[in-house]
């Protein structure tokens, strides 16, 4: 059996005239009728690019030199931007980035839902384009040939880790400690047995969770503790699955003590979370997003509200401040527990949290039988198509949909419109500056018959 021959890529750079952008932020050019996707290129530019792969219908290239630059081009704030896969749009101005995300949402509404909102709201802009990211998973790899440990994100379109010593996009409590972290890991006995480091930042403190593939020596444990003390970080270990995560610095009095916190000042709320919990990465955008969601739902004092995919209560508890009752529903039992903890800690008695499978018809559940006046839904990237088919059973006058995937939002919006709702307004939120990630929010109102 013969092996398939690998195509030989041209060694010389090729000239590309960029026409538009793909949804993943790559420039699109054409050559003899074949599509070319060019990393690091913007519409209107002419670039010299290196071929990195070729297929029957398209080629993939990386820009090496910009011959004619677009007005939207800027100098990336990070010196590793051309190689690191953590960001893909640092070479594009902030206004152009947000415009790209708005266009992406518009195109998805038209393509997947065949609809358009009655009103496009101005984009929600991030307070800062650097130093904003509070959550990340950092890869760790020992490179024997270089006798060094790398820590960071993968390079663009391959599995290698980028050789970085800092990250300007991360919260400085983490981003400015990449080099000390590398030096720590390189000096440990388990220098080649740490798989990754999860990082999470609250308003008060930042944490690192080390995925240790073997039991650590006493020397290594002490090195991690000393690192936490020196850099004012909480240090956790994860020897096996997620349920084995535990804090070793500061000493923990029990699982309920292992929490970080963030404030939602507008609603007088302090939200506690475990470093492994899902939380929004951009604290400024999160505060604005919660405000907008509550404002758009226009909850009245006597109303009953449903919050689907509620997590630890990021929307649930603010809604409880202005309604008669809020029901938060989540598929992750650990987050249900966290939501209840946060409700008790903030003195809220008009909110309940329930665990449920949110992939089918849940309208018969005991917590759902009384119906709801308003609904908020914040699903994962896969969206909530089946849920939207059943939401009309509640008779809610308004639905606010918070989305991290414009394609599934557009698809689900089509379901809601076919089932008696108007898409009143929508807009993007720049939760992840310098990336192609599109976070958005939409308001639906029931059509009165």
């Amino acid at each position: 059996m013969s092996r398939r021959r690998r195509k030989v890529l041209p060694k010389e750079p090729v000239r590309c005239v960029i026409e538009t952008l793909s949804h993943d932020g790559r420039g699109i050019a054409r050559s003899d009728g074949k599509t070319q996707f060019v990393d690091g290129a913007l519409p209107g530019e002419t670039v010299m690019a290196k071929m990195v792969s070729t297929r029957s219908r398209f080629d993939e290239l990386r820009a090496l030199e910009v011959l004619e630059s677009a007005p939207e081009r800027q100098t990336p704030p990070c010196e590793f931007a051309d190689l690191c896969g953590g960001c893909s749009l640092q070479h594009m101005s902030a206004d152009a980035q947000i415009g790209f995300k708005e266009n992406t949402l518009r195109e998805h509404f038209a393509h997947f839902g065949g609809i358009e909102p009655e009103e496009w709201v101005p984009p929600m802009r991030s307070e800062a384009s650097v130093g904003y990211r509070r959550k990340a998973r950092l890869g760790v790899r020992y490179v024997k040939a270089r006798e060094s440990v790398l820590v960071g994100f993968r390079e663009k379109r391959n599995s290698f880790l980028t050789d970085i010593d800092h990250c300007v996009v991360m919260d400085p409590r983490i981003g400015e400690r990449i080099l000390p972290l590398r030096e720590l890991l390189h000096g440990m006995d388990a220098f080649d047995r740490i798989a990754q480091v999860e990082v999470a930042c609250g308003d008060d403190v930042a944490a690192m969770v080390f995925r240790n593939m073997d039991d650590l020596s006493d020397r290594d444990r002490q090195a991690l503790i000393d690192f936490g003390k020196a850099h004012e970080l909480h240090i956790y270990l994860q020897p096996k699955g997620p349920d084995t995560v535990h804090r070793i610095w500061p000493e923990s009095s029990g699982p309920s003590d292992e929490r970080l916190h963030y404030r939602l000042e507008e609603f007088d709320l302090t939200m506690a979370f475990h470093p492994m919990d899902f939380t929004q990465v951009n604290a400024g955008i999160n505060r604005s997003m919660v405000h907008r969601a509550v404002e758009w739902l226009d909850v009245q004092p006597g109303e009953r509200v449903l919050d689907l995919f509620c997590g630890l209560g990021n929307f649930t508890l603010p809604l409880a401040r202005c309604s008669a009752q809020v029901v938060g529903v989540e598929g992750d039992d650990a987050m249900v527990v966290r939501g209840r903890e946060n409700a008790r800690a903030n003195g809220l008695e008009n909110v309940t949290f329930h665990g449920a499978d949110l992939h089918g018809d849940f309208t018969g559940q005991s917590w759902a039988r009384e119906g709801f006046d308003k609904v908020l839904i914040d699903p994962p990237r896969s969206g909530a198509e089946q849920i939207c088919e059943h939401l009309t059973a509640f008779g809610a006058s308004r639905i606010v949909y918070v989305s991290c995937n414009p394609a599934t939002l557009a698809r689900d919006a089509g379901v809601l419109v076919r089932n008696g709702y108007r898409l009143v307004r929508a807009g993007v939120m720049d939760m992840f500056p310098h990336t192609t990630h599109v976070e958005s929010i939409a308001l639906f109102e029931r059509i009165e018959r």
Side-chain angles (χ1 to χ4, degrees):
M1 181 176 174
S2 62
R3 294 182 179 179
R4 180 181 297 176
R5 291 184 178 180
R6 299 182 67 179
K7 294 183 179 179
V8 178
L9 301 176
K11 295 181 180 180
E12 295 298 318
V14 296
R15 186 174 182 272
C16 301
V17 178
I18 309 303
E19 300 173 4
T20 184
L21 279 184
S22 65
H23 285 155
D24 64 0
R26 291 183 288 177
I28 297 178
R30 301 284 194 282
S31 177
D32 297 327
K34 193 176 184 182
T35 300
Q36 298 174 312
F37 293 103
V38 186
D39 264 325
L42 299 175
E45 293 188 331
T46 301
V47 304
M48 298 300 294
K50 176 184 178 181
M51 189 87 70
V52 295
S53 72
T54 182
R55 302 186 186 183
S56 59
R57 299 178 60 185
F58 63 88
D59 297 326
E60 296 182 308
L61 304 94
R62 179 167 58 87
L64 299 177
E65 180 185 3
V66 180
L67 303 178
E68 298 179 27
S69 63
E72 296 80 15
R73 178 168 287 276
Q74 68 172 11
T75 300
C78 174
E79 63 189 278
F80 309 108
D82 289 342
L83 188 61
C84 180
C87 301
S88 54
L89 297 180
Q90 287 199 19
H91 58 294
M92 181 187 291
S93 70
D95 288 344
Q97 287 184 33
I98 203 71
F100 163 76
K101 294 178 182 185
E102 285 188 303
N103 287 336
T104 299
L105 183 59
R106 289 175 185 270
E107 290 172 5
H108 280 90
F109 269 133
H111 180 71
F112 291 99
I115 53 178
E116 183 172 352
E118 297 170 12
E119 176 190 359
W120 286 102
V121 299
M124 189 180 294
R125 304 291 291 265
S126 184
E127 297 172 356
S129 65
V130 296
Y132 72 84
R133 184 162 184 171
R134 288 188 165 198
K135 288 275 290 182
R137 175 178 294 172
L138 301 175
V140 178
R141 184 167 299 172
Y142 173 69
V143 182
K144 186 175 182 179
R146 299 168 58 175
E147 295 186 350
S148 65
V149 173
L150 300 184
V151 177
F153 301 103
R154 290 182 179 179
E155 294 181 0
K156 292 179 179 177
R157 310 194 190 285
N158 69 53
S159 60
F160 299 113
L161 285 187
T162 314
D163 186 0
I164 64 174
D165 55 22
H166 66 281
C167 175
V168 300
V169 171
M170 291 291 299
D171 184 300
R173 291 171 290 178
I174 300 298
E176 294 177 0
R177 290 173 167 81
I178 301 296
L179 181 57
L181 177 59
R182 288 176 56 173
E183 293 171 344
L184 164 73
L185 293 169
H186 187 263
M188 291 173 59
D189 298 328
F191 63 91
D192 60 348
R193 299 296 290 167
I194 302 294
Q196 64 193 33
V197 180
E198 297 266 359
V199 297
C201 302
D203 292 347
D204 47 353
V205 72
M208 290 186 176
V209 182
F210 292 81
R211 174 69 178 93
N212 54 304
M213 299 170 68
D214 301 313
D215 291 337
L216 296 183
S217 66
D218 291 342
R219 190 179 80 88
D220 280 358
R221 288 178 64 91
Q222 190 58 51
L224 290 173
I225 290 171
D226 291 344
F227 184 80
K229 291 179 180 179
H231 296 283
E232 299 181 330
L233 298 168
H234 286 190
I235 303 297
Y236 291 72
L237 294 181
Q238 182 187 344
K240 293 183 180 179
D243 60 339
T244 67
V245 174
H246 61 284
R247 196 174 74 196
I248 62 171
W249 176 258
E251 291 186 13
S252 173
S253 61
S256 62
D257 177 48
E258 299 178 355
R259 301 288 183 266
L260 306 177
H261 303 84
Y262 66 89
R263 284 284 294 169
L264 294 174
E265 203 65 52
E266 178 182 357
F267 302 96
D268 189 25
L269 293 169
T270 297
M271 309 297 291
F273 65 98
H274 187 276
M276 300 295 283
D277 289 344
F278 171 81
T279 54
Q280 299 293 350
V281 304
N282 190 321
I285 287 291
N286 185 57
R287 289 190 293 268
S288 298
M289 177 177 69
V290 172
H291 170 88
R292 177 168 289 181
V294 173
E295 180 182 55
W296 282 12
L297 276 179
D298 190 27
V299 176
Q300 301 303 307
E303 290 184 325
R304 178 174 157 90
V305 183
L306 174 64
D307 180 11
L308 293 172
F309 302 97
C310 66
L312 53 77
N314 188 55
F315 294 104
T316 327
L317 302 193
L319 288 167
R321 291 292 195 205
C322 49
S323 63
Q325 184 180 20
V326 181
V327 175
V329 185
E330 170 60 49
D332 184 340
D333 290 340
M335 298 301 274
V336 173
V337 172
R338 203 80 71 246
R340 291 170 180 167
E341 288 177 0
N342 279 316
R344 287 194 299 270
N346 286 280
L348 290 167
E349 298 180 353
N350 63 330
V351 55
T352 58
F353 289 87
H354 301 273
D357 179 3
L358 293 175
H359 293 92
D361 183 1
F362 51 81
T363 54
Q365 297 285 336
S366 59
W367 48 262
R369 292 172 188 159
E370 296 180 34
F372 298 94
D373 300 291
K374 307 286 173 62
V375 174
L376 187 141
I377 181 169
D378 182 12
R381 289 188 60 80
S382 56
E385 185 175 17
Q386 290 180 314
I387 287 175
C388 289
E389 294 282 3
H390 299 293
L391 282 183
T392 52
F394 296 132
S397 60
R398 289 192 175 194
I399 298 171
V400 166
Y401 191 129
V402 176
S403 169
C404 59
N405 184 344
T408 53
L409 168 61
R411 178 201 66 198
D412 297 349
V415 173
L416 291 173
V417 168
R418 291 194 300 272
N419 283 277
Y421 283 85
R422 302 159 41 223
L423 176 53
V424 178
R425 60 177 74 107
V428 299
M429 304 178 291
D430 200 13
M431 183 72 76
F432 292 84
H434 302 307
T435 76
T436 58
H437 184 96
V438 181
E439 195 94 6
S440 52
I441 185 169
L443 170 65
F444 299 85
E445 289 185 359
R446 189 180 61 194
I447 299 172
E448 299 295 337
R449 301 297 184 183

